[in-house]
Amino acid sequence: MLQLCVSQQLNTVPYSFKTTGIHVYTFEEMLYHVFHYWRESVDEFLADGAIAWVAEIGHSYLATRMKELTRTELFATRILDFLRLANYFDEEELSGLKATLEKWELRREWEKLKERADFFASKNEPDKAIPLYKRALQYDENAPLLNNLGVQYLQANSPKEGLSYLTRALSLEPKNFSILLHYTEAAILSGKFDKAAKALQKAYAVNPKHPDIAFLLGLMSYEQKDYPTALTYFEKAINADPTVPYYTHKAVDIHLQMRQYEKALAALQKSATHDSAYHEKEAEIHAAEGNLPRAIKSMQAALSATAEPAATAYAKLAAYHRQDYDTARAEEAITKALSLNPHNNIVLLENARIKKGLGHTREYQSVLGEILKSFKEGYRNA
């Protein structure tokens, strides 16, 4: 039996889910998104913007019903009633989701937020993970939350903020080996070498043979520009566990600092895994030596090597195209990056550079304004 869509008119204005970056053009597509990405849609499917969009595409009745649902207290009831607004899912599908939602709702609020934050952390999207971890901390301050938040700040190249949270995590669990290692890394990257050395001694007492010990000693030497000593420690870490790409990548960084591009490539090629991160590092080497066509080729290989490329990876590809004076391909790559994560500052900054190169001064200034606003909001939240 054929089932008519609620949306009978062609719509060219999408609703964009911020957490997933997915665009939907019909109410049915919105239902499909919420059904399959319900964790990521928690704060969005009944937001004012979503309700306004449904009204704008000609479904004022559905928009009214959505507004009524915002007053429903239980999340499971709220989302299931939303999914029943159109005859898109049958009751068998919804009953399966209902069991999952009820089980999830029984968990403490901080655990739900942590689960969502962990999802974005696993996708290497710290800008999305950090706000969720912070919200979780409002319900319960515990070592795992503080540790994960600190690590995400490290991923976002904000080691001082990371050190602050990892210090609190360590105060709660002073003998936690993993937290000790993360704290040491944050202290090193923040220039707090005395604190890092003391924490590393404690970690060494717990597990002296762990390869991260050698790696962190190398990182401390690297940050103090003692590259020969750093390389010795990094190679020791690589020999202890060649399956960790990060060890190899830091050894490559030393060769790049010394402009030893052939040695950098040789060091990288010893890596046990040739995944997307491998090709991305390969692109970085080629770009550093000025071989942009090879850098572009490696970056394309990095994107092809993963099912869900990060927005920042497309931003890097856009940068290489821009530096190679191929503005058309640079725009194509940055457009893809923006579709995946329109709020990422790395993506926005590269977009601004491309606009500036094209002579689009007004758009360039607009993007810079958006970045500045983001920094201000981040500062206020911190």
Side-chain angles (χ1 to χ4, degrees):
M1 177 175 146
L2 288 175
Q3 188 177 61
L4 293 175
C5 294
V6 172
S7 306
Q8 292 293 301
Q9 301 296 324
L10 182 65
N11 173 46
T12 59
V13 180
Y15 177 75
S16 300
F17 282 91
K18 292 178 182 177
T19 51
T20 61
I22 293 173
H23 305 313
V24 296
Y25 290 85
T26 66
F27 187 69
E28 284 80 8
E29 285 179 294
M30 176 177 269
L31 293 174
Y32 181 90
H33 182 281
V34 174
F35 184 87
H36 289 280
Y37 298 98
W38 59 268
R39 287 183 182 85
E40 296 77 44
S41 304
V42 168
D43 298 321
E44 287 194 68
F45 75 100
L46 291 178
D48 290 342
I51 294 172
W53 176 80
V54 170
E56 285 170 12
I57 63 172
H59 305 313
S60 55
Y61 169 74
L62 292 175
T64 302
R65 290 285 293 113
M66 288 169 68
K67 200 154 192 172
E68 290 170 357
L69 288 176
T70 60
R71 296 191 287 270
T72 304
E73 188 174 345
L74 292 176
F75 171 69
T77 304
R78 193 161 64 244
I79 195 169
L80 288 167
D81 285 351
F82 170 76
L83 293 172
R84 289 189 179 102
L85 289 178
N87 295 322
Y88 189 72
F89 297 103
D90 60 39
E91 284 303 314
E92 187 177 347
E93 290 174 303
L94 294 178
S95 65
L97 178 61
K98 181 182 178 183
T100 303
L101 291 171
E102 288 176 345
K103 185 178 179 181
W104 189 70
E105 200 157 23
L106 288 172
R107 294 170 57 185
R108 287 177 292 181
E109 190 65 29
W110 75 266
E111 290 179 305
K112 300 175 190 177
L113 290 164
K114 179 180 178 296
E115 184 178 283
R116 291 168 59 201
D118 289 345
F119 169 79
F120 290 116
S122 70
K123 293 179 67 179
N124 194 28
E125 295 187 28
D127 56 316
K128 293 182 180 179
I130 287 170
L132 291 169
Y133 283 129
K134 284 187 171 182
R135 282 178 56 192
L137 282 173
Q138 293 174 3
Y139 293 94
D140 184 44
E141 181 165 305
N142 58 63
L145 274 179
L146 290 164
N147 173 74
N148 289 12
L149 180 54
V151 170
Q152 286 307 292
Y153 270 116
L154 290 178
Q155 291 291 321
N157 295 316
S158 300
K160 290 182 180 178
E161 288 85 348
L163 181 60
S164 172
Y165 288 104
L166 289 162
T167 300
R168 285 157 63 183
L170 200 58
S171 70
L172 294 175
E173 294 187 13
K175 294 182 180 180
N176 186 304
F177 183 72
S178 180
I179 295 175
L180 274 169
L181 294 178
H182 294 146
Y183 172 90
T184 302
E185 183 176 359
I188 291 170
L189 295 175
S190 300
K192 309 291 185 182
F193 301 118
D194 289 341
K195 289 183 177 181
K198 289 177 183 177
L200 199 53
Q201 285 178 347
K202 293 178 182 178
Y204 181 85
V206 175
N207 188 350
K209 294 184 179 180
H210 197 285
D212 270 359
I213 302 295
F215 170 76
L216 290 168
L217 286 167
L219 187 63
M220 198 178 306
S221 298
Y222 179 86
E223 289 297 313
Q224 296 177 87
K225 302 190 186 312
D226 182 357
Y227 298 132
T229 302
L231 187 59
T232 300
Y233 280 122
F234 288 153
E235 288 175 345
K236 185 177 179 180
I238 292 166
N239 290 333
D241 189 353
T243 65
V244 180
Y246 193 55
Y247 299 160
T248 301
H249 293 177
K250 290 308 293 182
V252 168
D253 287 342
I254 290 176
H255 292 302
L256 288 177
Q257 287 285 348
M258 301 170 74
R259 298 185 179 181
Q260 298 171 340
Y261 305 122
E262 288 186 9
K263 287 185 177 180
L265 203 55
L268 181 65
Q269 287 168 348
K270 292 178 183 177
S271 181
T273 54
H274 288 201
D275 55 5
S276 60
Y278 170 91
H279 291 296
E280 197 165 326
K281 201 68 180 178
E282 185 181 51
E284 190 179 325
I285 296 169
H286 292 316
E289 66 178 345
N291 193 336
L292 289 168
R294 287 192 69 183
I296 290 167
K297 188 175 180 181
S298 294
M299 203 63 224
Q300 288 169 336
L303 291 166
S304 299
T306 179
E308 296 183 5
T312 50
Y314 279 103
K316 281 187 179 181
L317 178 61
Y320 295 147
H321 279 306
R322 173 178 55 79
Q323 292 161 22
D324 201 34
Y325 303 104
D326 190 342
T327 53
R329 285 193 170 88
E331 276 199 295
E332 184 181 325
I334 203 63
T335 299
K336 180 64 177 176
L338 287 165
S339 73
L340 291 172
N341 194 342
H343 306 290
N344 183 283
N345 285 329
I346 293 172
V347 173
L348 290 171
L349 187 57
E350 181 53 36
N351 185 36
R353 288 172 178 147
I354 292 169
K355 298 301 182 193
K356 185 179 181 182
L358 291 167
H360 299 168
T361 307
R362 187 172 293 177
E363 291 179 68
Y364 166 69
Q365 291 173 339
S366 175
V367 175
L368 284 185
E370 194 175 341
I371 295 170
L372 182 60
K373 181 182 176 183
S374 174
F375 280 136
K376 286 179 178 178
E377 287 177 352
Y379 178 79
R380 282 197 295 269
N381 289 336

